[in-house]
């Protein structure tokens, strides 16, 4: 941090820690950018502030447009995407979220511990993914909040309990009930058009409690009962078995890529990726950084692995995971 920052800057920066809403944070960051003296010694700081501002804008744009009185109005989207965790009572949804996020949702050895949906953040490498804990479904008793919540998800996990022989049947009943609401759960292969996105969700079945006695037989039974409709991953939320694999599968399920922006002559900041939907192009990235950058876009240079080093590309160029892009406007 440069030593010659004016007191006004230090004072405003202090307010940043107290900012409660993203809007407040954004205003303070913009003030900081306006205050910071513009010279060589503060270039890094200016770039950092600009990145923070554009990331915050990107996140704010992603927020679901739900009314305040809606039962999920309190659940603001945050991070690179939202994964909703569903399951029957006591299957271990909250424990799974606890182990993945390091947070502390209530876990109980009795059904219906979780009463309302609640958000938690899971770190995956250099990004954060939002996990939503939910109240359980049980036969005809399906929390009314679930369909609306599922529609806001970028991917879904369904937690199955390997100690609970009825769980496959409960899942079938739940899937049928959701079908009536036009919600469908699909594996990685099935195509999803943009129009279908709200109702058709990439889903992974998580067979939890694989640490328990007879869990291998229970897993085989589950596979037989459910067939190959949806992918199934055995884990233990208790011992952590399978959770690293689960994190990677969650990332893959969201169908996003991480790309990095850089300024001419500078190195990219690998701690600050932009996350975009797979299939996004250079202009989508420009838009995610700042509207002006997209409006005034001239060309971009692309770095990809060892093969592409500063290639000039146009706005339609499709990006890939790990791409580094220098946008010229
Ligand atoms: N052995 C074992 N027990 C687990 C595992 N995961 C969760 N449990 C236990 O299962 C019980 C239920 O866990 P929760 O995480 O509260 O389950 P839930 O699905 O959130 O339950 P509801 O909120 O009631 O729907 C608790 O006693 C946990 O300790 C696991 O991987 N192995
Ligand atoms: Mg719970």
């Amino acid at each position: 941090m440069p030593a010659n920052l004016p007191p006004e800057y230090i004072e405003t920066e202090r307010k940043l820690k107290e900012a409660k809403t993203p809007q407040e944070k954004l205003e303070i960051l913009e003030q900081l950018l306006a205050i910071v003296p513009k010279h060589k010694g503060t270039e890094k700081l200016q770039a950092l502030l600009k990145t923070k501002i554009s990331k915050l804008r990107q996140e704010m744009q992603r927020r679901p447009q739900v009314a305040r009185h809606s039962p999920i109005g309190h659940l603001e989207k945050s991070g690179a995407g939202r994964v909703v965790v569903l399951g029957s009572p006591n299957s271990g949804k909250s424990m799974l979220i606890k182990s993945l996020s390091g947070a502390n949702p209530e876990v109980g050895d009795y059904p219906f511990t979780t009463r309302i949906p609640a958000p938690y953040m899971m770190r995956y490498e250099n990004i954060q993914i939002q996990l939503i804990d939910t109240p359980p479904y049980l036969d005809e008793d399906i929390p009314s909040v679930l369909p609306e919540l599922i529609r806001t998800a970028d991917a879904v996990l369904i937690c199955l309990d390997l100690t609970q022989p009825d769980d496959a049947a409960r899942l079938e009943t739940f899937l049928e009930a959701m079908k009536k609401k036009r919600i469908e759960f699909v594996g990685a292969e099935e195509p999803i058009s943009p129009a279908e996105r709200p109702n058709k969700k990439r889903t992974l079945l998580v067979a939890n409690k694989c640490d328990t006695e007879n869990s291998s037989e229970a897993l085989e039974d589950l596979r037989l009962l459910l067939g190959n409709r949806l992918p199934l991953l055995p884990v233990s939320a208790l011992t952590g078995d399978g959770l690293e694999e689960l994190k990677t599968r969650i990332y893959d399920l969201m169908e996003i890529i991480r790309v990095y922006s850089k300024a001419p002559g500078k190195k990219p900041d690998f701690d600050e990726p932009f996350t975009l939907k797979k299939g996004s192009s250079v202009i989508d990235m420009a838009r995610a950084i700042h509207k002006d950058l997209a409006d005034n876009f001239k060309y971009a240079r692309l770095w990809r692995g060892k093969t592409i080093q500063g290639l000039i590309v146009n706005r339609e160029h499709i990006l890939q995971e790990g791409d580094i892009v220098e946008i010229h406007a």
Side-chain angles (χ1 to χ4, degrees), residues 93-95 106-107 113-114 133-134:
K93 300 175 292 302
S94 302
M95 181 89 160
E106 193 182 351
V107 171
T113 307
T114 306
D133 195 6
T134 62

Side-chain angles (χ1 to χ4, degrees), residues 244-256:
E244 279 313 304
E245 158 105 24
L246 177 57
K247 283 189 180 187
T248 309
R249 298 279 288 268
I250 290 173
Y251 179 72
D252 292 345
L253 220 52
M254 296 197 330
E255 301 189 312
I256 55 175

